[in-house]
Amino acid sequence: MVPLPVILVEFLLAFGGALFLANVVAIYRLRREQNWPPYRPAGMSDEDTQGLSRSALRDNRVPSRPRILIGLVIGFGVAMYALASLIDVLHLG
C-alpha cells in the first residue's frame, strides 16, 4: 500500500511536469511557425490573416506570450517543489 503523502507528491510532480512540457511545446510550435512573439492564431499563415481585423484575430485565440511564460515558470516551480518533497518523503519514510 502506497502512503498518501507519496501519492500526493507524485500527482504534483506529474501536474507540474505536464504544465511545463505543454508550454515548451507551445513555444516550440510557435517558433517553428515563425510566430514568436505570437501575433496570429496557431496554424494560420500570414495570407490567412490578411483580411482579418485585430478583434477577429483576438477572437481566433491568439496565444498570449505572458500566459505561456507564466505557465512555464509555474510548471517548473511546482515540479521542482514536488521533486524535492518526494526526495524528502522517500528518505524519511
Side-chain angles (χ1 to χ4, degrees), residues 2-18:
V2 180
L4 184 63
V6 175
I7 291 175
L8 291 177
V9 170
E10 289 174 351
F11 172 75
L12 278 177
L13 183 61
F15 178 75

Side-chain angles (χ1 to χ4, degrees), residues 4-85:
L4 184 63
V6 175
I7 291 175
L8 291 177
V9 170
E10 289 174 351
F11 172 75
L12 278 177
L13 183 61
F15 178 75
L19 183 61
F20 180 78
L21 287 176
N23 284 292
V24 166
V25 169
I27 288 176
Y28 171 75
R29 189 171 170 202
L30 289 169
R31 283 187 182 265
R32 189 181 63 197
E33 294 175 357
Q34 282 108 22
N35 189 20
W36 186 259
Y39 64 91
R40 58 182 157 76
M44 292 183 86
S45 66
D46 286 329
E47 294 83 31
D48 296 337
T49 60
Q50 287 297 331
L52 297 176
S53 65
R54 286 257 188 224
S55 62
L57 283 175
R58 249 182 279 121
D59 293 341
N60 281 323
R61 304 292 224 154
V62 176
S64 171
R65 180 180 177 187
R67 187 180 304 153
I68 291 172
L69 296 177
I70 288 171
L72 271 172
V73 170
I74 291 173
F76 184 77
V78 168
M80 290 301 106
Y81 177 78
L83 186 62
S85 297

